[in-house]
Amino acid sequence: MGTESTIADEFKELKTVVIRFAGDSGDGMQTIGERFTDSSAAFGNDLATFPDFPAEIRAPAGTIPGVSAFQIQFGSTEILTPGDAPDALVAMNPAALAVHLRDLTEGGMLVVNSAAFTEANLKMADFESNPLDDPELTSKYELIQVDINHFTQESLKETELTAKDKLRCKNFFALGFMYWIYSRPIDNTIDFIREKWSRKAPALAEANITVLKAGYYFGETTETSRNRYMVAKAEVEAGTYRKISGNEALVLGLIAGAEKADRKLLYSGYPITPASSILEMLSNYKHFGVKTVQAEDEIAAIGVAIGGSFAGNLGITGTSGPGMCLKAEFIGLATSTELPLVIINVQRGGPSTGLPTKTEQSDLLQAVYGRHSDAPIPVIAANSPSDCFETAIEAVRIALTFSTPIIVLSDLYLANGAEPWRIPSMDGIDEIKKPIAEEGGNYTTFARDEDTLSRTLAIPGQKGNEHRIGGLEKDEGGSVSYDPDNHEEMTHIRAEKLKRIANSFPPTKVLGEKSGKVLVLSWGGTYGSITAAVSAMQAEGFSVSSVHLKHLHPMPNDLKDIMDGFDQILVPELNMGQLDVLLRSQFLVDTVAYNKIQGQPFKVKELTKKIHELLQD
Amino acid sequence: MGTESTIADEFKELKTVVIRFAGDSGDGMQTIGERFTDSSAAFGNDLATFPDFPAEIRAPAGTIPGVSAFQIQFGSTEILTPGDAPDALVAMNPAALAVHLRDLTEGGMLVVNSAAFTEANLKMADFESNPLDDPELTSKYELIQVDINHFTQESLKETELTAKDKLRCKNFFALGFMYWIYSRPIDNTIDFIREKWSRKAPALAEANITVLKAGYYFGETTETSRNRYMVAKAEVEAGTYRKISGNEALVLGLIAGAEKADRKLLYSGYPITPASSILEMLSNYKHFGVKTVQAEDEIAAIGVAIGGSFAGNLGITGTSGPGMCLKAEFIGLATSTELPLVIINVQRGGPSTGLPTKTEQSDLLQAVYGRHSDAPIPVIAANSPSDCFETAIEAVRIALTFSTPIIVLSDLYLANGAEPWRIPSMDGIDEIKKPIAEEGGNYTTFARDEDTLSRTLAIPGQKGNEHRIGGLEKDEGGSVSYDPDNHEEMTHIRAEKLKRIANSFPPTKVLGEKSGKVLVLSWGGTYGSITAAVSAMQAEGFSVSSVHLKHLHPMPNDLKDIMDGFDQILVPELNMGQLDVLLRSQFLVDTVAYNKIQGQPFKVKELTKKIHELLQD
Amino acid sequence: MATETIEENPLTKKDFVTPNDVRWCPGCGDYAILNSLQRTLPELGIPKENYVVVSGIGCSSRFPYYMNTYGFHTIHGRAPTVAAGVKVANPDLSVWMITGDGDGLSIGGNHLMHALRRNININILLFNNRVYGLTKGQYSPTSPVGTRTKTTPTGSIDNPLNPILFALGAEATFIARTIDTNPKHMIETFKAAQAHNGVSFVEIFQNCVIFNNKTWDPVYGRQSRDDNMLFLKEGEPMVFGKEEKKGIVWNGSQPEVIPLGDATPEEKGVMIHTPDRPGSLYTAMLAEMTHPEFPTPVGTLRQVEKPTYDAQIQDQVQEAIDSQDGKPDLQGLVNGANTWII
Amino acid sequence: MATETIEENPLTKKDFVTPNDVRWCPGCGDYAILNSLQRTLPELGIPKENYVVVSGIGCSSRFPYYMNTYGFHTIHGRAPTVAAGVKVANPDLSVWMITGDGDGLSIGGNHLMHALRRNININILLFNNRVYGLTKGQYSPTSPVGTRTKTTPTGSIDNPLNPILFALGAEATFIARTIDTNPKHMIETFKAAQAHNGVSFVEIFQNCVIFNNKTWDPVYGRQSRDDNMLFLKEGEPMVFGKEEKKGIVWNGSQPEVIPLGDATPEEKGVMIHTPDRPGSLYTAMLAEMTHPEFPTPVGTLRQVEKPTYDAQIQDQVQEAIDSQDGKPDLQGLVNGANTWII
Ligand SMILES: Cc1ncc(C[n+]2csc(CCOP(=O)(O)OP(=O)(O)O)c2C)c(N)n1
Ligand SMILES: Cc1ncc(C[n+]2csc(CCOP(=O)(O)OP(=O)(O)O)c2C)c(N)n1
Ligand code: SF4
Ligand code: SF4
Ligand SMILES: [Mg+2]
Ligand SMILES: [Mg+2]
């Protein structure tokens, strides 16, 4: 149960705690998870969260597919993941218990809404008997049964709400109780409820506040013998913070990138989990000149973005794996015409429709090779929710500076997960300088910058720069050319241009010593767990370092040297070994792949175990 | 000039000769190339041909983009390619000369239609002066100027044809003359003309025959001092032969495969160069129960094929690179649902629309990795026009036996090229045994064969076997499953199933010694040039062997051992090194890539030069 | 021919129910449609094993999982292609294709259009809830202008498609409309669709309780349905309203609503429903009749006969086979016309 | 607004000709269309640099290479999406989209349909030669049933699309038809298309000399054109035939051809062409008029006003900008509503 330290007064002080709220998707678990997060953030903890939605919009209440959960890890130290396993589980009904109990740490706290353990509900959750009657439950966990329904209704008996509406407040009872257990402030939440609902539904807002308090006082009055915990403020860098999810950060980064490059942003997408919210959020930023188009499909979406880029906007499109398949042909066109274009893939589980609401990082090889012919384009990846901001800006930088389409890989875990973020100063962000061609007719379509090999765009509306582009092979002047030598030359230029992008990368950061026994080499959303595992082992004195790549294609120029400094290279991925294929073919290095394909992030302990194995070899 | 051997009588005897006919696309170059091929085949030479069409349907007459050419190599020894460079070039107009002269062997024979070297034509071909007046031409080549227009018209002056129609026969004059030079029989061609045109246009047929003979006798009567050549019959295996192009062979192989598997063939495609003719040819074989659908696009085409496979047909679709991009999402569905499906990609130059009428083998990595997620499916490739037949049958075997989609890679060079083919006995071809499930309801959708891990299909119309499939992850029973462990297991099964396919491959053939200094490792349409180069060097005693892969994913189990027997591995490809990426990542071997990206096949001499370089290292 | 001999044990609705839990939101209109199709299929005289249900992706497209028939949940927008492949491979099958307004008209519009124009003999049910359900509530190609959703916070600006007019633009041979709140009408409509020899396109007004609740209430809500819906019946006059006291007449260039008073429809010259007119004008007229100006018509809007794609492909193959004598000769085929012997 | 100030040196056709050799087959109808567009653009009062020509893939789609404007030869079937992106990025541009019957109606049908229904203010020219030219002569979605091509050796079996009806199914706001043999009519039609504020869909009957020669001769051939073509002019009666001695009347439920004899069209009640009717019936009627029963109409078949997609997107953005005071605050945006300071 967390990392226990000193016992102060009646409180146990913990360094980190992992809590999971689980219930029916109608029970409001995401809402209270968000509230718990905000008050912990405001209190000053570092934290990371991960919501886990059901695949169905609203599966029948009480069923297993209908279970919705929200996990948060918060602490007084740096928090990199939402946590391996919950120290405390709140289960609002039997189905939630059925799905989530197996993850609860032994000895962990288990809060259940006993009222929900009716025969009908038990049956829907495939329980043959009531698990609360199982003595093992009490011996293995700190079981706290609360008739949440009853107390909720009791506390609202003075109000005029219907019985159904009363019961809808029960999530706040659970939240209040957990606030009490973890000695969190509740004012923050009260303010939030007032602000959000007072106007639309004042009676409900007040009811929620009443129930929240009831939950809190329930702890205080009836459970004085109960353990309570304290988690101190985290020692983090001073600054202004906000909470941010991956897709939010991506959206803000795109807008910031476009501003820094002085281009109008044109985003065109087609809804798909977990990328839809990028389109949704961007459509709220019209006052930044952002134009959004909900296209008829993913092909159209990228086509609109390409048209936008041709006409001088910064064209951006985003999707998930199945949509990436559909964009392949157009990516080839953008590659051939060398137009700037940002293509975002928020990855999810596959193949095919796969596991649309689970995370996976299995579209890397598609990003690198998923088009016909030799059509090289850069690929970069975000590594944490807040890092999506920087990654988006980096994508805009590369796309414009090198006049190239670029693929940005994020994933469902990053997109939906959230963490506190120390907000950078916008003035501190470099401008992205790649002007369009001068007007007046001295324009050569594929004339190139000597260093970057990038071409310069001329855009419709510019006098004298009229020109034609297209998907047929062409010569420097932009004329269609079937000449064999020209084709070979253009193909080499495209390849070389990709390579040159690596010259613009900062030196690769190594976490830990620059040489040693094991280097953990990774990319994408696994950053948090890997960094947590490696840091912990470094603190224990083990010879392990890690490098987490943002730039996957091309890879950094200094990577080979870094790899050479280690005896073994461990490549953990949430796929069957895709970075591994790239590393092996590019560096001929006998890496050790470590793969998990369960639609779920790595646990820190899975990684430490694996690293230990390697160290013992 | 060819491989000169003995001089018999007035004839020089040659082992091999390469001739290229070039003229305007309206000049009938393909027609006479085909005739020359047929009479050489009937005569008993081995041969290989390659037509080179312009990208435009019919570019303006006389222009450079309008040039059409046909190359044939024939010989008394085994012929593996259409030849590096022509020993004789027939140029019907200045544009043809402009495009093709640079390829002619020094000292080679250059036959030009002097009548076409008018000022207008010279201008269209960008000549500033008449190249025929250039003394270098006569010194460098054996220049034969013939006023073909004049002789053609002269020989037809008795007929009632219009002047225009008369001139349309001029290609046969050139053919007749070349027949005389290379002492070919002309009866065969006369028969052909009669059979083909006598009914529709008897006057034209007779005119063509007259002109053909005129060309032949023109040699005999006016050019007695001219060198003439003999190419003896080839010593090839006894049997019944036919001439066959790659797409023809593919079509016949698909039909044969379907027959041997006792499945109805349903082919669905969308026209695209150079795959269109597969759809076109198959639509003529309805009497074999073949159904063809010209779909609205490539996505629909594969969808129809998948629907056909689900309903118990053998679903097949074919396209080229851009179309492959569009099929990616559906390939993922077929992978997830494990339906048999053959997907043919006749490759052409890219990226994007690229060089649609030029060859390239640059879609290998797309075939292997061009879908989101871990979605492994087999990939095989044909290596010569006639080998497309066996490759098609192999594809059908793998698709059905392993219940999997499979990608077959061919290319424009194979598709359009032709060679003589010793027709195998259909009785000698193994049956493909993979029955569908028994009727009656004991059906488990993803129950697997122990050896192959293949599932068995039950098809609509079967009593009691009703079941549902789809793209979501599912368990063995076929029910949708979001279970983490199940997903991991299914992912591993899909990967393992792919691997098992390699257990069904025959031992890999090595051309030459099993160990030595250089192994040339290659795939696809480069087989001919590589085999020619390697055999020639072996004959000269060099330590070089070659392995040409048909199975690219998975690769043969014995390949690693073979590679280990050589000091160096040379991987020549018509791309930027795609097999090379696969070899490096799978075997961690430091191969030497040799790449040509000119839309043209390797020349034998390019390869021997490269191999020599390696041997000297 | 999808109709074979009747089963010995007559089929019932239960035969078409799978053990899988149905996972739509409680109150979703999809339940009623499922129920109605499960009640329809046993009555069509088609052996159960000859049914195939094919869908794309969307809430609606989960449908095949709940039908105890052969089923294929394919990918987004592409169901018409797979359904076509199934039907071409085996024309004996009764193929039901399920799609949504996003699946069928946004990403899948082209395939749907080509399936319609080709007249492939399948039954297409388009669940129109005017929203993307599965991806949680973005606007769709049938959402009215001004619809505010997550992706259109200031209102959508694209003109919606009229699915009937769209189908008519492709000259679909059977076009119908029904509503999720009227099982009887759904069942009738489904039967008519199956009876039609050719492609059948059925738009179903479907309610999404979560993201677009009551979107069709102005048409079929208890308050409005009498005045805002017109039940079309072949050969019968177009009357509607409480006690059928209103009728539609043709004024020479467009339809008009008139009160009947005490007159009979005949007396007032009320139009007789004739869905079998070969041209498109009549159906175009119906397609554009919409509330509040007109009652929205439901029922079979168009039914004309044309040869089907699947039958013709079969015929061409059969003719080719018949024109040969005996079993086709594979060796002969492979040999081709020009061989030589060495 | 694509119209700005007129150039000082008036533009001429020559300004729109590229040095590139035109590479269509000699005799191809595409030449005449190119010529006509090159003659139209200088007359529209739009600066040359504001023209963008976007195409898909096909013989017809080579068009941009021959127009000395900004041009984009995209990929097969997808031109409407790129054209939409260009127009949304910069509504000041005059965007001309070139497509073929295969490019636009086979692979690209969906994008075309959505561009039409969204009413994006671009001009779409569909070159209909009823065949796939570039891939050497396969049948297309507009080829009549029974067309024998390389892929349909025993005749095609799919019902062709009627491009006008298709566009109408998407409720396109401007629909016209013209022919490659009549430059004057083409130029008029192109001008009308540009003048229309909204999406303009123009079907052009185009001859492919190589793979489908004379396919339109029954309509516009010297022998047939008088009787088989109807030149529509807004506000004028529908008369045709040698010396305009025939007219079209509406018999209450459908059009009819009548001889005028010596009577005036007015006397005979000949229909007056009114392309601006809001509903679809009128255009549906025209769309279905086809030889030999009727003369095939050319000209503007429909023109109605609706707000355009590109203008509205711009308006929404502008409104959002105006609703802020001052330049948008990037730091404020990134900070969001809930921050805390440590
Ligand atoms: C290629 C692809 N793009 C996007 C999606 C995401 N997606 C799934 S369903 C859907 C729309 C569903 O809308 P509709 O067809 O109206 O069905 P409903 O859910 O409303 O029944 C979308 C966009 C996907 N699965 N695949
Ligand atoms: C994805 C893709 N599929 C197929 C093709 C091949 N292709 C090129 S043009 C064309 C059809 C052209 O027909 P149409 O649009 O009528 O133009 P036309 O040549 O007749 O002017 C096809 C199928 C392609 N280039 N890309
Ligand atoms: S989201 Fe809407 S359409 Fe989807 S299941 Fe729920 S109610 Fe039905
Ligand atoms: S093939 Fe036909 S459409 Fe294409 S350029 Fe030639 S004549 Fe024109
Ligand atoms: Mg919907
Ligand atoms: Mg065409």
Side-chain angles (χ1 to χ4, degrees), chain A residues 329, chain B residues 270-273 298 319 322-323 326 348 353, chain D residues 30 57-61 75-76 78 99-104 107 127 129-135 138 140 206 208:
Chain A
E329 194 193 1
Chain B
Y270 183 71
I272 187 167
T273 307
E298 287 86 350
T319 186
L326 292 169
R348 63 187 212 184
T353 311
Chain D
D30 293 353
I57 300 284
C59 293
S60 33
S61 288
I75 53 177
H76 196 33
R78 317 300 174 186
T99 186
D101 45 324
D103 188 69
I107 189 168
F127 295 22
N129 56 11
R130 307 209 273 197
V131 79
Y132 289 0
L134 192 66
T135 49
Q138 300 83 8
S140 92
Q206 177 240 325
C208 168

Side-chain angles (χ1 to χ4, degrees), chain A residues 267-288:
Chain A
Y267 184 92
S268 176
Y270 183 71
I272 187 167
T273 306
S276 308
S277 62
I278 301 173
L279 174 63
E280 292 164 2
M281 286 188 268
L282 277 169
S283 66
N284 286 312
Y285 297 131
K286 297 193 170 63
H287 51 292
F288 278 84

Side-chain angles (χ1 to χ4, degrees), chain A residues 405-423:
Chain A
I406 179 169
I407 293 175
V408 178
L409 296 173
S410 177
D411 63 42
L412 184 140
Y413 172 75
L414 297 181
N416 293 353
E419 62 182 5
W421 178 44
R422 189 169 155 274
I423 305 167

Side-chain angles (χ1 to χ4, degrees), chain B residues 320-331:
Chain B
S320 189
M324 283 303 284
C325 287
L326 292 169
K327 292 184 195 293
E329 193 192 0
F330 251 135
I331 295 176

Side-chain angles (χ1 to χ4, degrees), chain D residues 5 55 83 97 121 148 183 209 229 233-234 236 277 304:
Chain D
T5 53
S55 69
M97 198 205 100
N121 188 11
R148 282 171 201 263
V209 279
M229 268 173 86
K233 296 202 188 72
E234 178 157 13
E236 295 189 15
R277 305 196 196 184
V304 299

Side-chain angles (χ1 to χ4, degrees), chain B residues 57-58, chain D residues 23-31 58-60 129 131-134 136 206-212:
Chain B
I57 304 303
R58 198 154 295 174
Chain D
R23 293 190 191 168
W24 289 306
C25 305
C28 176
D30 293 353
Y31 284 96
C59 293
S60 33
N129 56 11
V131 79
Y132 289 0
L134 192 66
K136 308 200 173 174
Q206 177 240 325
N207 190 41
C208 168
V209 279
I210 304 296
F211 298 112
N212 207 12

Side-chain angles (χ1 to χ4, degrees), chain B residues 169-181:
Chain B
C169 302
K170 66 176 180 290
N171 53 338
F172 279 98
F173 189 93
L175 180 66
F177 182 64
M178 295 310 277
Y179 277 170
W180 178 78
I181 298 261

